[in-house]
Amino acid sequence: MLNYFNNNFLKSNKKTKIELYILPLLICVFLYLFFLEKGKNEDVEISSKLNYEEFYNKKFESSFLEFFSSLEKLAKKYEILILKNEKDKNIILLKAQGKKQSILNFIKDIENLNNFTKIDFFNMNKNEETKNYIFELKINLNKYYIKNLKEIKYEKKYEKVIVTQNSQNKEFRINAIVDDFAFINETWIKKNEKIEDYKLIKIDRNFVVLSNESNEIKLELLNEEYFKENN
């Protein structure tokens, strides 16, 4: 049988011989490309699965003080008066009032704060006396969402105090007050902690008092009606 095939091969023309030589090579190339592409698809599938699990398991681990500070800055920006602001685990309950368009812009920027913010509930009613709208929001921070986040520009309004001591100027700026913390010089300071040799001795609804051995400074929030009072 082998002799028969061998004799036929030797008697075949040159073109047939070339085709018989090339055919196995083409089959090998085809099989190589087939399994290579299959391996790539499996890698992509595994990678997609890993990325999905990574995003799915992400938790909100940022500072809630910074988050509340961002909300308050947005409220100032859009002239929103915060009436109530509560936290229950990763759920923020917010009650406030403002103009209709300002409220819509406020909510839009909240969604753009990070990859976790999601508005679960929104209710708005018009106040006939003030002609403004009172609204309630439920902000959910439990899940991670892929978003095209854009930079939020805040209007910075703060009181600046410059103190001269021992021929040195010290500048203090206050941006926010939340519970027992004050946001001074871009840093959260807790009551009784020190900043620039001054101790934070008092925190009120719209002002704080810094003190050292020779001076006492009162820093007041501008537009303090937009900052909540926590009892």
Side-chain angles (χ1 to χ4, degrees), residues 5-18 20:
F5 284 115
N6 186 44
N7 292 331
N8 285 341
F9 177 76
L10 293 174
K11 293 178 182 179
S12 60
N13 56 39
K14 188 175 182 180
K15 180 180 178 182
T16 303
K17 289 180 179 179
I18 293 174
L20 290 173

Side-chain angles (χ1 to χ4, degrees), residues 6 9 27 31-32 35 47-48 90 98 111 150-151 174 184-185 199 205 210:
N6 186 44
F9 177 76
I27 293 174
L31 291 174
Y32 171 77
F35 286 110
S47 177
S48 299
N90 282 358
E111 288 275 12
K150 298 178 181 179
E151 181 183 359
I174 183 167
I184 303 173
N185 291 1
K199 187 176 182 180
R205 177 182 183 275
L210 300 174

